[in-house]
Amino acid sequence: EQNDGLCQKLTESCANQKPQQPWEKDAWEISRDTLKLDRRLGAGQFGEVWMATYNKHTKVAVKTMKPGTMSLEAFMAEANLMKTLQHDKLVKLHAVVTKEEPIYIITEFMEKGSLLDFLKTPEGNRVQLPKLIDFSAQTAEDGAYIYTHTHTHRGLMCLYLICTCLYCSLSSVVPSSVIFNTNHWVLTGAKFPIKWTAPEAINYGSFTIKSDMWSFGILLMEIVTYGRTPYPGMSNPDVIRALERDYRMPRTESCPEELYDIMLKCWKKKPEDRPTFEYMQSVLEDFYTATESQYQQQP
């Protein structure tokens, strides 16, 4: 109504102003018609992930549920849990499509895709050890945050990590109960990755913060080997039998002994002997500082 120091009195709002997104209004449900699936980014045991465009202008990631792999209740439990978890290193949930199948979970889009894929690229292969340890420390920080909210992640696999601008974020939190199948563990109908699973979870279905710490140790090996699949050359039954004999993945040439010792702490036979995520974050941050200074001193 008054210039109040402006050169000209304001008239009307800008016609090209970006429209408000539904997730900015805390309205999670959106119409499927507002999404255009552009390119499939990958597929896992639970479903597919697509790069998509929302309302013709916003790039997002869309996670779809693969029919027959997870119950609708479990899939929606993941979305509901993501609504409650807000952290700068956790991928943010934007919206859901739940009125009819296929169900969609819409999250922020991460430019470099999964950490597993990134580490296998020429760019990822040039990442030096200090940054790999930094990835690991950030993941431990994510784990510590999740456990302050009393949730287990049950999927600390490199495949479920996202990397953008050399910055890591956990991409999904998989809740729900576990039942046994003759070939694999099942999360209310979803296949569970044996090679990342702690022995007590394989044998007794005991998923705790300590079983996730075992998975974190597997993840450390994945990161330091630039995305190599754990237990190379071994099938799931081979891994189960080996773990019964207290077998542990051996150290690779690319893995410093100090980092391997950290992995072995994660793989202690007794769950109560494994460290906490807060401890791992502290140890890895110190290790990162030490290795970074060593690399900076090299000619």
Side-chain angles (χ1 to χ4, degrees), residues 38-55:
D38 300 317
R39 177 166 58 91
R40 195 179 80 160
L41 301 175
Q45 293 175 327
F46 301 107
E48 298 177 340
V49 178
W50 287 74
M51 181 182 74
T53 304
Y54 172 73
N55 269 353

Side-chain angles (χ1 to χ4, degrees), residues 212-281:
D212 274 0
M213 182 50 62
W214 176 287
S215 302
F216 181 76
I218 303 296
L219 170 64
L220 290 179
M221 182 63 80
E222 278 189 284
I223 292 177
V224 79
T225 57
Y226 295 89
R228 187 194 71 178
T229 302
Y231 304 98
M234 298 175 66
S235 66
N236 284 345
D238 290 338
V239 172
I240 293 174
R241 286 190 290 268
L243 292 178
E244 291 174 350
R245 302 191 301 271
D246 294 332
Y247 173 83
R248 300 294 184 265
M249 272 190 292
R251 185 178 71 87
T252 64
E253 291 185 6
S254 61
C255 179
E257 291 186 8
E258 298 90 339
L259 185 59
Y260 185 65
D261 288 340
I262 293 175
M263 296 178 192
L264 291 177
K265 287 184 173 66
C266 300
W267 300 333
K268 290 283 189 180
K269 186 173 184 178
K270 294 182 179 179
E272 60 270 21
D273 292 339
R274 299 169 199 160
T276 65
F277 277 97
E278 289 85 354
Y279 172 85
M280 294 301 293
Q281 178 185 352

Side-chain angles (χ1 to χ4, degrees), residues 1-65:
E1 294 181 354
Q2 298 179 359
N3 290 16
D4 197 24
L6 295 176
C7 298
Q8 180 173 325
K9 186 168 62 176
L10 298 178
T11 54
E12 60 185 23
S13 61
C14 177
N16 296 324
Q17 185 178 5
K18 184 178 178 181
Q20 189 179 37
Q21 309 294 2
W23 46 85
E24 295 170 348
K25 299 180 294 183
D26 195 30
W28 296 102
E29 187 74 31
I30 63 173
S31 169
R32 192 185 309 275
D33 297 338
T34 60
L35 291 166
K36 178 180 179 293
L37 301 185
D38 300 317
R39 177 166 58 91
R40 195 179 80 160
L41 301 175
Q45 293 175 327
F46 301 107
E48 298 177 340
V49 178
W50 287 74
M51 181 182 74
T53 304
Y54 172 73
N55 269 353
K56 300 182 180 180
H57 56 67
T58 303
K59 188 181 294 186
V60 295
V62 175
K63 181 176 180 180
T64 67
M65 182 178 68

Side-chain angles (χ1 to χ4, degrees), residues 3-238:
N3 290 16
D4 197 24
L6 295 176
C7 298
Q8 180 173 325
K9 186 168 62 176
L10 298 178
T11 54
E12 60 185 23
S13 61
C14 177
N16 296 324
Q17 185 178 5
K18 184 178 178 181
Q20 189 179 37
Q21 309 294 2
W23 46 85
E24 295 170 348
K25 299 180 294 183
D26 195 30
W28 296 102
E29 187 74 31
I30 63 173
S31 169
R32 192 185 309 275
D33 297 338
T34 60
L35 291 166
K36 178 180 179 293
L37 301 185
D38 300 317
R39 177 166 58 91
R40 195 179 80 160
L41 301 175
Q45 293 175 327
F46 301 107
E48 298 177 340
V49 178
W50 287 74
M51 181 182 74
T53 304
Y54 172 73
N55 269 353
K56 300 182 180 180
H57 56 67
T58 303
K59 188 181 294 186
V60 295
V62 175
K63 181 176 180 180
T64 67
M65 182 178 68
K66 186 182 296 183
T69 59
M70 181 186 289
S71 70
L72 175 60
E73 291 76 14
F75 196 78
M76 288 309 303
E78 176 179 346
N80 291 330
L81 182 55
M82 290 180 71
K83 295 175 185 178
T84 68
L85 296 174
Q86 300 295 327
H87 191 271
D88 60 355
K89 295 188 184 71
L90 285 173
V91 174
K92 293 178 176 59
L93 175 71
H94 283 337
V96 295
V97 176
T98 63
K99 299 301 183 183
E100 59 183 6
E101 295 194 57
I103 304 298
Y104 290 169
I105 291 179
I106 298 94
T107 68
E108 63 178 309
F109 178 75
M110 309 300 277
E111 289 290 342
K112 293 185 181 294
S114 74
L115 179 57
L116 175 60
D117 292 334
F118 170 74
L119 290 176
K120 293 178 180 179
T121 66
E123 180 185 0
N125 267 262
R126 291 193 298 269
V127 175
Q128 292 186 320
L129 179 65
K131 180 53 67 175
L132 298 178
I133 296 171
D134 186 33
F135 287 158
S136 305
Q138 292 183 50
T139 307
E141 181 183 351
D142 292 335
Y145 170 80
I146 288 175
Y147 286 113
T148 62
H149 293 71
T150 66
H151 300 299
T152 56
H153 188 266
R154 297 184 186 174
L156 284 169
M157 299 184 304
C158 211
L159 182 63
Y160 292 139
L161 289 179
I162 300 297
C163 180
T164 177
C165 299
L166 305 186
Y167 198 71
C168 291
S169 300
L170 288 172
S171 70
S172 65
V173 180
V174 185
S176 69
S177 60
V178 180
I179 58 175
F180 183 73
N181 181 287
T182 54
N183 298 316
H184 51 256
W185 283 98
V186 178
L187 289 169
T188 56
K191 296 180 181 179
F192 195 84
I194 290 292
K195 291 187 175 183
W196 286 263
T197 306
E200 71 273 9
I202 293 176
N203 294 324
Y204 308 110
S206 176
F207 285 89
T208 66
I209 185 172
K210 297 302 184 179
S211 63
D212 274 0
M213 182 50 62
W214 176 287
S215 302
F216 181 76
I218 303 296
L219 170 64
L220 290 179
M221 182 63 80
E222 278 189 284
I223 292 177
V224 79
T225 57
Y226 295 89
R228 187 194 71 178
T229 302
Y231 304 98
M234 298 175 66
S235 66
N236 284 345
D238 290 338

